[in-house]
Amino acid sequence: MKRLIKFGTLLMFVLFFVSCGGGGGGGTPTTPSTDPDPIALPLPSNNPPEQNVLILYDTAGPYGVQGKTNAILLENLLGHFDLNITSKPADQYIANEMVDENITTVFYLGTTFDVLGYHANGSNEYNSYMNFYKDTATQNKTIVWINYNLDLLETEWDANVTNWGVGTFEESTGFTSFGIETNYNRVWYKDTELYKGIIPFATPGADTTNCYDEGNNTYACALELNTIFISENNTLASIYAETNSTFDLAVSTEPYITQGGNFWFIGDIPFSYMSEEDRYLAFADLLHDMLGIDHIESHKAIMRLEDVNSKTELSDLIAIADYMQSQNTPFNVATIPQYEDPFGVYNNNLTTTIKLYESPIGEKLKEYYFDRRIDIVQHGFTHQLYDYINPYNGVTAEDFEFMIVTDVNNDGNYTYEGPSENDDGLWAKQRILDGKAILDAVGIQAFAWEAPHYMAGPNHYRAIKDIYPIQYSRLIYYPDESDKSKFVGQFYPYVIRKDTYGYYVIPENIHNIEDTPNEGYRTITSADIIHFSKKLKVVRDGVASFYYHPYLGTDELSKIIPGLQSEGYTFVRATELVE
């Protein structure tokens, strides 16, 4: 069997990677177990929300869809907290809504430049913005203003100081809007340099138009900054993060995230071109301060052994398990219940199906599970789709299961046609149930699931949540479900108690070893994973989470585990992260 490879893909503006892997091995039957499950399956709590939060976003203009897209990403990230979240277009805001709905914090995503220019003066949409501006000035709520149109708010605010009975915008915040500048590509937070919208490695098909080429296939693509001027004799404004340029010496260091009174300002969209070392991490950490919900400083780490199936080499599994036990470190196993090789690619041209309980891997997993050395994550059903090349060869752990993918030109420029079986939720749910039945027969129980290659349709996700309310992965989201060929991916620096699908999400965020990537994709080493973990430490309660393939042996693993520990991380069971 060949050494399997992995690839990454740029999904719209979010750098988002997918996994694959595998191994080999024989198979002897195991007897389905009737022993009781020794590990109580944790379920997310249903604590009452701490606050009511409102997300408002722009929808006008040629890039109007970016408003809802970013609102989804923001709502997901806010799912780290116990909140009651309402998300809606800003042009549907109702006068006094902040008070009437007992809103504590309002997030505004200014994704359309000069948004008032798209609405006629006196129209319902225009008046909604005017009502929003007035309530922002007068209702004493926490406002988090992201990206464009601060000047529009300030103009309306200052024109109505007398009518509204308030001080000027500058008097209330300690700063003023100062226009838009460019060539900013780094953000500094907690003495740590972070990317500002960088594509770390441009993969085939990546759009680098208007990006700055930093060399080594790295591109700076979010160069724009909405600047502010801090008032002289300022006593209100505090700068939490700053931004600068590494290639334009004429660019001065400017505020990136600033608080003035109960008003926060972020100089661009922190979700654009986010990666493992992006300013997205600074924003994620400062959400605690914006909401006034502090979490204890804690740096935990978890590891997931990926793509374990009936054909994984037993010796590889044993070697890794023995090493992890020597380090007194629990780990998780992403388990594929049924192996398929419909074209006999690795089985002498013979169609091959092996259920996990027909393999010695199943028996060994059961042993480790009952010894409490591992926790189980169900990784799809077969991690491939029927006798379909999707897009490689139809073999388990290589192909996609819940997404149709093509590579028409065989050049690594993949096309995501849409979810499998037209995003049929019942079909996806039954597929996971079929896999779960195999795990039950082995005598092991998964506490979460992970979509193969981190991809599934929205209805797939929602239906499978009935079986597994916990997802241990990165996920993709669909801003417009009428076109399911378009989606965005998101990773999380910490646990998400509720994403927009309703999942409790255990994160994966510092990647995996990419020793033999497809042509045009980047290599990732143990040093890179440790480097990503250093950046993640700016998040006060971040969880450093990586995955690892069995065929790699223990050489790289024996670098990563002590490397993360030396950075101050403590390895825990992933199940301990469920509250």
Side-chain angles (χ1 to χ4, degrees), residues 346-372:
Y346 302 127
N347 293 276
N348 299 316
N349 296 318
L350 297 175
T351 298
T352 303
T353 297
I354 308 173
K355 292 178 170 59
L356 192 63
Y357 57 73
E358 298 172 332
S359 162
I361 292 295
E363 189 65 37
K364 185 58 67 173
L365 289 177
K366 177 184 174 182
E367 174 190 332
Y368 293 154
Y369 177 79
F370 274 77
D371 287 345
R372 298 218 63 194

PDB file of all heavy atoms in Angstrom, residues 346-372:
ATOM      1  N   TYR A 346      -5.516  -1.776  -3.766  1.00  0.00           N
ATOM      2  CA  TYR A 346      -4.481  -2.285  -2.871  1.00  0.00           C
ATOM      3  C   TYR A 346      -4.704  -3.757  -2.516  1.00  0.00           C
ATOM      4  O   TYR A 346      -4.089  -4.265  -1.579  1.00  0.00           O
ATOM      5  CB  TYR A 346      -4.454  -1.456  -1.579  1.00  0.00           C
ATOM      6  CG  TYR A 346      -4.200   0.020  -1.809  1.00  0.00           C
ATOM      7  CD1 TYR A 346      -5.065   0.979  -1.287  1.00  0.00           C
ATOM      8  CD2 TYR A 346      -3.116   0.449  -2.554  1.00  0.00           C
ATOM      9  CE1 TYR A 346      -4.846   2.327  -1.500  1.00  0.00           C
ATOM     10  CE2 TYR A 346      -2.893   1.803  -2.774  1.00  0.00           C
ATOM     11  CZ  TYR A 346      -3.757   2.735  -2.248  1.00  0.00           C
ATOM     12  OH  TYR A 346      -3.530   4.076  -2.455  1.00  0.00           O
ATOM     13  N   ASN A 347      -5.594  -4.423  -3.250  1.00  0.00           N
ATOM     14  CA  ASN A 347      -5.958  -5.791  -2.899  1.00  0.00           C
ATOM     15  C   ASN A 347      -5.999  -6.696  -4.129  1.00  0.00           C
ATOM     16  O   ASN A 347      -6.941  -7.459  -4.336  1.00  0.00           O
ATOM     17  CB  ASN A 347      -7.316  -5.802  -2.171  1.00  0.00           C
ATOM     18  CG  ASN A 347      -7.237  -5.128  -0.811  1.00  0.00           C
ATOM     19  OD1 ASN A 347      -6.848  -5.751   0.173  1.00  0.00           O
ATOM     20  ND2 ASN A 347      -7.605  -3.852  -0.762  1.00  0.00           N
ATOM     21  N   ASN A 348      -4.946  -6.592  -4.954  1.00  0.00           N
ATOM     22  CA  ASN A 348      -4.764  -7.480  -6.101  1.00  0.00           C
ATOM     23  C   ASN A 348      -5.976  -7.499  -7.031  1.00  0.00           C
ATOM     24  O   ASN A 348      -6.403  -8.559  -7.505  1.00  0.00           O
ATOM     25  CB  ASN A 348      -4.467  -8.915  -5.613  1.00  0.00           C
ATOM     26  CG  ASN A 348      -3.199  -8.989  -4.788  1.00  0.00           C
ATOM     27  OD1 ASN A 348      -2.186  -8.406  -5.154  1.00  0.00           O
ATOM     28  ND2 ASN A 348      -3.275  -9.674  -3.652  1.00  0.00           N
ATOM     29  N   ASN A 349      -6.524  -6.314  -7.256  1.00  0.00           N
ATOM     30  CA  ASN A 349      -7.652  -6.131  -8.164  1.00  0.00           C
ATOM     31  C   ASN A 349      -8.928  -6.809  -7.690  1.00  0.00           C
ATOM     32  O   ASN A 349      -9.860  -7.003  -8.486  1.00  0.00           O
ATOM     33  CB  ASN A 349      -7.295  -6.625  -9.573  1.00  0.00           C
ATOM     34  CG  ASN A 349      -6.179  -5.829 -10.200  1.00  0.00           C
ATOM     35  OD1 ASN A 349      -6.145  -4.602 -10.098  1.00  0.00           O
ATOM     36  ND2 ASN A 349      -5.244  -6.509 -10.860  1.00  0.00           N
ATOM     37  N   LEU A 350      -8.975  -7.160  -6.418  1.00  0.00           N
ATOM     38  CA  LEU A 350     -10.165  -7.793  -5.862  1.00  0.00           C
ATOM     39  C   LEU A 350     -10.973  -6.781  -5.055  1.00  0.00           C
ATOM     40  O   LEU A 350     -10.429  -6.088  -4.182  1.00  0.00           O
ATOM     41  CB  LEU A 350      -9.766  -8.967  -4.958  1.00  0.00           C
ATOM     42  CG  LEU A 350      -9.038 -10.131  -5.633  1.00  0.00           C
ATOM     43  CD1 LEU A 350      -8.606 -11.153  -4.581  1.00  0.00           C
ATOM     44  CD2 LEU A 350      -9.920 -10.780  -6.691  1.00  0.00           C
ATOM     45  N   THR A 351     -12.257  -6.674  -5.341  1.00  0.00           N
ATOM     46  CA  THR A 351     -13.135  -5.829  -4.537  1.00  0.00           C
ATOM     47  C   THR A 351     -13.076  -6.292  -3.082  1.00  0.00           C
ATOM     48  O   THR A 351     -13.256  -7.488  -2.805  1.00  0.00           O
ATOM     49  CB  THR A 351     -14.577  -5.908  -5.052  1.00  0.00           C
ATOM     50  OG1 THR A 351     -14.610  -5.407  -6.389  1.00  0.00           O
ATOM     51  CG2 THR A 351     -15.520  -5.084  -4.172  1.00  0.00           C
ATOM     52  N   THR A 352     -12.808  -5.348  -2.170  1.00  0.00           N
ATOM     53  CA  THR A 352     -12.567  -5.723  -0.773  1.00  0.00           C
ATOM     54  C   THR A 352     -13.394  -4.877   0.174  1.00  0.00           C
ATOM     55  O   THR A 352     -13.414  -3.648   0.069  1.00  0.00           O
ATOM     56  CB  THR A 352     -11.068  -5.566  -0.421  1.00  0.00           C
ATOM     57  OG1 THR A 352     -10.299  -6.373  -1.323  1.00  0.00           O
ATOM     58  CG2 THR A 352     -10.792  -5.993   1.007  1.00  0.00           C
ATOM     59  N   THR A 353     -14.084  -5.544   1.092  1.00  0.00           N
ATOM     60  CA  THR A 353     -14.820  -4.889   2.174  1.00  0.00           C
ATOM     61  C   THR A 353     -14.425  -5.569   3.477  1.00  0.00           C
ATOM     62  O   THR A 353     -14.487  -6.802   3.571  1.00  0.00           O
ATOM     63  CB  THR A 353     -16.339  -5.013   1.970  1.00  0.00           C
ATOM     64  OG1 THR A 353     -16.718  -4.343   0.761  1.00  0.00           O
ATOM     65  CG2 THR A 353     -17.094  -4.397   3.151  1.00  0.00           C
ATOM     66  N   ILE A 354     -14.013  -4.780   4.490  1.00  0.00           N
ATOM     67  CA  ILE A 354     -13.657  -5.354   5.787  1.00  0.00           C
ATOM     68  C   ILE A 354     -14.264  -4.481   6.882  1.00  0.00           C
ATOM     69  O   ILE A 354     -13.915  -3.301   7.019  1.00  0.00           O
ATOM     70  CB  ILE A 354     -12.125  -5.433   5.998  1.00  0.00           C
ATOM     71  CG1 ILE A 354     -11.443  -6.130   4.820  1.00  0.00           C
ATOM     72  CG2 ILE A 354     -11.820  -6.159   7.301  1.00  0.00           C
ATOM     73  CD1 ILE A 354      -9.918  -6.094   4.899  1.00  0.00           C
ATOM     74  N   LYS A 355     -15.174  -5.048   7.638  1.00  0.00           N
ATOM     75  CA  LYS A 355     -15.725  -4.340   8.792  1.00  0.00           C
ATOM     76  C   LYS A 355     -14.706  -4.369   9.923  1.00  0.00           C
ATOM     77  O   LYS A 355     -13.889  -5.291  10.022  1.00  0.00           O
ATOM     78  CB  LYS A 355     -17.046  -4.976   9.221  1.00  0.00           C
ATOM     79  CG  LYS A 355     -18.174  -4.792   8.198  1.00  0.00           C
ATOM     80  CD  LYS A 355     -19.436  -5.485   8.641  1.00  0.00           C
ATOM     81  CE  LYS A 355     -20.623  -5.107   7.754  1.00  0.00           C
ATOM     82  NZ  LYS A 355     -20.394  -5.452   6.321  1.00  0.00           N
ATOM     83  N   LEU A 356     -14.787  -3.376  10.790  1.00  0.00           N
ATOM     84  CA  LEU A 356     -13.766  -3.220  11.826  1.00  0.00           C
ATOM     85  C   LEU A 356     -13.690  -4.448  12.727  1.00  0.00           C
ATOM     86  O   LEU A 356     -12.598  -4.842  13.168  1.00  0.00           O
ATOM     87  CB  LEU A 356     -14.044  -1.959  12.657  1.00  0.00           C
ATOM     88  CG  LEU A 356     -12.919  -1.499  13.585  1.00  0.00           C
ATOM     89  CD1 LEU A 356     -11.676  -1.105  12.799  1.00  0.00           C
ATOM     90  CD2 LEU A 356     -13.389  -0.321  14.446  1.00  0.00           C
ATOM     91  N   TYR A 357     -14.839  -5.096  13.004  1.00  0.00           N
ATOM     92  CA  TYR A 357     -14.807  -6.259  13.886  1.00  0.00           C
ATOM     93  C   TYR A 357     -14.247  -7.499  13.192  1.00  0.00           C
ATOM     94  O   TYR A 357     -14.061  -8.542  13.824  1.00  0.00           O
ATOM     95  CB  TYR A 357     -16.181  -6.548  14.499  1.00  0.00           C
ATOM     96  CG  TYR A 357     -17.319  -6.759  13.534  1.00  0.00           C
ATOM     97  CD1 TYR A 357     -17.414  -7.925  12.786  1.00  0.00           C
ATOM     98  CD2 TYR A 357     -18.319  -5.809  13.415  1.00  0.00           C
ATOM     99  CE1 TYR A 357     -18.471  -8.140  11.912  1.00  0.00           C
ATOM    100  CE2 TYR A 357     -19.386  -6.005  12.553  1.00  0.00           C
ATOM    101  CZ  TYR A 357     -19.460  -7.168  11.797  1.00  0.00           C
ATOM    102  OH  TYR A 357     -20.509  -7.368  10.935  1.00  0.00           O
ATOM    103  N   GLU A 358     -13.957  -7.396  11.900  1.00  0.00           N
ATOM    104  CA  GLU A 358     -13.314  -8.486  11.174  1.00  0.00           C
ATOM    105  C   GLU A 358     -11.801  -8.328  11.109  1.00  0.00           C
ATOM    106  O   GLU A 358     -11.126  -9.098  10.434  1.00  0.00           O
ATOM    107  CB  GLU A 358     -13.882  -8.557   9.747  1.00  0.00           C
ATOM    108  CG  GLU A 358     -15.371  -8.844   9.699  1.00  0.00           C
ATOM    109  CD  GLU A 358     -15.958  -8.712   8.310  1.00  0.00           C
ATOM    110  OE1 GLU A 358     -15.421  -7.926   7.505  1.00  0.00           O
ATOM    111  OE2 GLU A 358     -16.962  -9.407   8.033  1.00  0.00           O
ATOM    112  N   SER A 359     -11.297  -7.340  11.813  1.00  0.00           N
ATOM    113  CA  SER A 359      -9.878  -6.999  11.743  1.00  0.00           C
ATOM    114  C   SER A 359      -9.261  -6.994  13.131  1.00  0.00           C
ATOM    115  O   SER A 359      -9.925  -6.667  14.118  1.00  0.00           O
ATOM    116  CB  SER A 359      -9.728  -5.600  11.119  1.00  0.00           C
ATOM    117  OG  SER A 359      -8.467  -5.049  11.393  1.00  0.00           O
ATOM    118  N   PRO A 360      -7.971  -7.346  13.240  1.00  0.00           N
ATOM    119  CA  PRO A 360      -7.298  -7.248  14.548  1.00  0.00           C
ATOM    120  C   PRO A 360      -7.224  -5.822  15.065  1.00  0.00           C
ATOM    121  O   PRO A 360      -7.051  -5.610  16.265  1.00  0.00           O
ATOM    122  CB  PRO A 360      -5.908  -7.823  14.280  1.00  0.00           C
ATOM    123  CG  PRO A 360      -5.713  -7.728  12.810  1.00  0.00           C
ATOM    124  CD  PRO A 360      -7.072  -7.903  12.211  1.00  0.00           C
ATOM    125  N   ILE A 361      -7.380  -4.852  14.176  1.00  0.00           N
ATOM    126  CA  ILE A 361      -7.411  -3.452  14.623  1.00  0.00           C
ATOM    127  C   ILE A 361      -8.596  -3.238  15.556  1.00  0.00           C
ATOM    128  O   ILE A 361      -8.493  -2.549  16.580  1.00  0.00           O
ATOM    129  CB  ILE A 361      -7.502  -2.499  13.410  1.00  0.00           C
ATOM    130  CG1 ILE A 361      -6.204  -2.540  12.593  1.00  0.00           C
ATOM    131  CG2 ILE A 361      -7.791  -1.065  13.872  1.00  0.00           C
ATOM    132  CD1 ILE A 361      -4.984  -2.024  13.316  1.00  0.00           C
ATOM    133  N   GLY A 362      -9.738  -3.814  15.220  1.00  0.00           N
ATOM    134  CA  GLY A 362     -10.914  -3.668  16.080  1.00  0.00           C
ATOM    135  C   GLY A 362     -10.663  -4.216  17.466  1.00  0.00           C
ATOM    136  O   GLY A 362     -11.025  -3.589  18.472  1.00  0.00           O
ATOM    137  N   GLU A 363     -10.054  -5.378  17.559  1.00  0.00           N
ATOM    138  CA  GLU A 363      -9.773  -5.993  18.858  1.00  0.00           C
ATOM    139  C   GLU A 363      -8.789  -5.142  19.671  1.00  0.00           C
ATOM    140  O   GLU A 363      -8.950  -4.975  20.881  1.00  0.00           O
ATOM    141  CB  GLU A 363      -9.208  -7.401  18.654  1.00  0.00           C
ATOM    142  CG  GLU A 363      -9.093  -8.214  19.934  1.00  0.00           C
ATOM    143  CD  GLU A 363     -10.450  -8.516  20.554  1.00  0.00           C
ATOM    144  OE1 GLU A 363     -11.417  -8.757  19.796  1.00  0.00           O
ATOM    145  OE2 GLU A 363     -10.545  -8.504  21.795  1.00  0.00           O
ATOM    146  N   LYS A 364      -7.798  -4.591  18.995  1.00  0.00           N
ATOM    147  CA  LYS A 364      -6.804  -3.764  19.706  1.00  0.00           C
ATOM    148  C   LYS A 364      -7.433  -2.452  20.186  1.00  0.00           C
ATOM    149  O   LYS A 364      -7.166  -1.991  21.300  1.00  0.00           O
ATOM    150  CB  LYS A 364      -5.616  -3.496  18.794  1.00  0.00           C
ATOM    151  CG  LYS A 364      -4.460  -2.754  19.464  1.00  0.00           C
ATOM    152  CD  LYS A 364      -3.924  -3.483  20.687  1.00  0.00           C
ATOM    153  CE  LYS A 364      -3.242  -4.780  20.344  1.00  0.00           C
ATOM    154  NZ  LYS A 364      -2.589  -5.376  21.545  1.00  0.00           N
ATOM    155  N   LEU A 365      -8.276  -1.854  19.353  1.00  0.00           N
ATOM    156  CA  LEU A 365      -8.965  -0.635  19.778  1.00  0.00           C
ATOM    157  C   LEU A 365      -9.841  -0.910  20.997  1.00  0.00           C
ATOM    158  O   LEU A 365      -9.907  -0.089  21.928  1.00  0.00           O
ATOM    159  CB  LEU A 365      -9.812  -0.069  18.635  1.00  0.00           C
ATOM    160  CG  LEU A 365      -9.057   0.555  17.461  1.00  0.00           C
ATOM    161  CD1 LEU A 365     -10.035   1.007  16.384  1.00  0.00           C
ATOM    162  CD2 LEU A 365      -8.195   1.732  17.906  1.00  0.00           C
ATOM    163  N   LYS A 366     -10.526  -2.039  20.989  1.00  0.00           N
ATOM    164  CA  LYS A 366     -11.356  -2.402  22.137  1.00  0.00           C
ATOM    165  C   LYS A 366     -10.502  -2.520  23.399  1.00  0.00           C
ATOM    166  O   LYS A 366     -10.889  -2.037  24.477  1.00  0.00           O
ATOM    167  CB  LYS A 366     -12.079  -3.713  21.862  1.00  0.00           C
ATOM    168  CG  LYS A 366     -12.921  -4.216  23.040  1.00  0.00           C
ATOM    169  CD  LYS A 366     -13.537  -5.570  22.722  1.00  0.00           C
ATOM    170  CE  LYS A 366     -14.255  -6.141  23.943  1.00  0.00           C
ATOM    171  NZ  LYS A 366     -14.817  -7.483  23.690  1.00  0.00           N
ATOM    172  N   GLU A 367      -9.346  -3.141  23.283  1.00  0.00           N
ATOM    173  CA  GLU A 367      -8.438  -3.280  24.432  1.00  0.00           C
ATOM    174  C   GLU A 367      -8.028  -1.906  24.968  1.00  0.00           C
ATOM    175  O   GLU A 367      -8.107  -1.640  26.177  1.00  0.00           O
ATOM    176  CB  GLU A 367      -7.203  -4.070  24.009  1.00  0.00           C
ATOM    177  CG  GLU A 367      -6.116  -4.159  25.076  1.00  0.00           C
ATOM    178  CD  GLU A 367      -4.834  -4.741  24.538  1.00  0.00           C
ATOM    179  OE1 GLU A 367      -4.878  -5.545  23.577  1.00  0.00           O
ATOM    180  OE2 GLU A 367      -3.749  -4.378  25.059  1.00  0.00           O
ATOM    181  N   TYR A 368      -7.604  -1.035  24.081  1.00  0.00           N
ATOM    182  CA  TYR A 368      -7.163   0.300  24.507  1.00  0.00           C
ATOM    183  C   TYR A 368      -8.324   1.101  25.093  1.00  0.00           C
ATOM    184  O   TYR A 368      -8.158   1.863  26.054  1.00  0.00           O
ATOM    185  CB  TYR A 368      -6.557   1.059  23.332  1.00  0.00           C
ATOM    186  CG  TYR A 368      -5.255   0.493  22.802  1.00  0.00           C
ATOM    187  CD1 TYR A 368      -4.877   0.712  21.481  1.00  0.00           C
ATOM    188  CD2 TYR A 368      -4.406  -0.257  23.615  1.00  0.00           C
ATOM    189  CE1 TYR A 368      -3.685   0.207  20.977  1.00  0.00           C
ATOM    190  CE2 TYR A 368      -3.215  -0.769  23.128  1.00  0.00           C
ATOM    191  CZ  TYR A 368      -2.864  -0.542  21.808  1.00  0.00           C
ATOM    192  OH  TYR A 368      -1.690  -1.036  21.312  1.00  0.00           O
ATOM    193  N   TYR A 369      -9.485   0.926  24.492  1.00  0.00           N
ATOM    194  CA  TYR A 369     -10.675   1.654  24.940  1.00  0.00           C
ATOM    195  C   TYR A 369     -11.054   1.254  26.361  1.00  0.00           C
ATOM    196  O   TYR A 369     -11.329   2.107  27.217  1.00  0.00           O
ATOM    197  CB  TYR A 369     -11.814   1.360  23.962  1.00  0.00           C
ATOM    198  CG  TYR A 369     -13.148   1.985  24.305  1.00  0.00           C
ATOM    199  CD1 TYR A 369     -13.402   3.322  24.040  1.00  0.00           C
ATOM    200  CD2 TYR A 369     -14.165   1.215  24.871  1.00  0.00           C
ATOM    201  CE1 TYR A 369     -14.637   3.886  24.328  1.00  0.00           C
ATOM    202  CE2 TYR A 369     -15.405   1.777  25.154  1.00  0.00           C
ATOM    203  CZ  TYR A 369     -15.638   3.099  24.887  1.00  0.00           C
ATOM    204  OH  TYR A 369     -16.857   3.659  25.175  1.00  0.00           O
ATOM    205  N   PHE A 370     -11.066  -0.034  26.639  1.00  0.00           N
ATOM    206  CA  PHE A 370     -11.436  -0.498  27.969  1.00  0.00           C
ATOM    207  C   PHE A 370     -10.344  -0.225  28.997  1.00  0.00           C
ATOM    208  O   PHE A 370     -10.626  -0.147  30.191  1.00  0.00           O
ATOM    209  CB  PHE A 370     -11.799  -1.990  27.937  1.00  0.00           C
ATOM    210  CG  PHE A 370     -13.233  -2.232  27.587  1.00  0.00           C
ATOM    211  CD1 PHE A 370     -13.663  -2.132  26.269  1.00  0.00           C
ATOM    212  CD2 PHE A 370     -14.165  -2.524  28.569  1.00  0.00           C
ATOM    213  CE1 PHE A 370     -14.990  -2.333  25.944  1.00  0.00           C
ATOM    214  CE2 PHE A 370     -15.492  -2.732  28.249  1.00  0.00           C
ATOM    215  CZ  PHE A 370     -15.920  -2.633  26.932  1.00  0.00           C
ATOM    216  N   ASP A 371      -9.111  -0.040  28.532  1.00  0.00           N
ATOM    217  CA  ASP A 371      -8.018   0.356  29.428  1.00  0.00           C
ATOM    218  C   ASP A 371      -7.983   1.864  29.647  1.00  0.00           C
ATOM    219  O   ASP A 371      -7.096   2.361  30.342  1.00  0.00           O
ATOM    220  CB  ASP A 371      -6.674  -0.107  28.852  1.00  0.00           C
ATOM    221  CG  ASP A 371      -6.480  -1.602  28.955  1.00  0.00           C
ATOM    222  OD1 ASP A 371      -7.236  -2.252  29.722  1.00  0.00           O
ATOM    223  OD2 ASP A 371      -5.586  -2.132  28.258  1.00  0.00           O
ATOM    224  N   ARG A 372      -8.922   2.581  28.988  1.00  0.00           N
ATOM    225  CA  ARG A 372      -9.044   4.044  29.084  1.00  0.00           C
ATOM    226  C   ARG A 372      -7.795   4.761  28.567  1.00  0.00           C
ATOM    227  O   ARG A 372      -7.461   5.856  29.004  1.00  0.00           O
ATOM    228  CB  ARG A 372      -9.345   4.483  30.518  1.00  0.00           C
ATOM    229  CG  ARG A 372     -10.660   3.950  31.058  1.00  0.00           C
ATOM    230  CD  ARG A 372     -11.383   4.971  31.914  1.00  0.00           C
ATOM    231  NE  ARG A 372     -11.749   6.152  31.142  1.00  0.00           N
ATOM    232  CZ  ARG A 372     -12.142   7.296  31.700  1.00  0.00           C
ATOM    233  NH1 ARG A 372     -12.199   7.416  33.005  1.00  0.00           N
ATOM    234  NH2 ARG A 372     -12.463   8.326  30.937  1.00  0.00           N
TER     235      ARG A 372
END
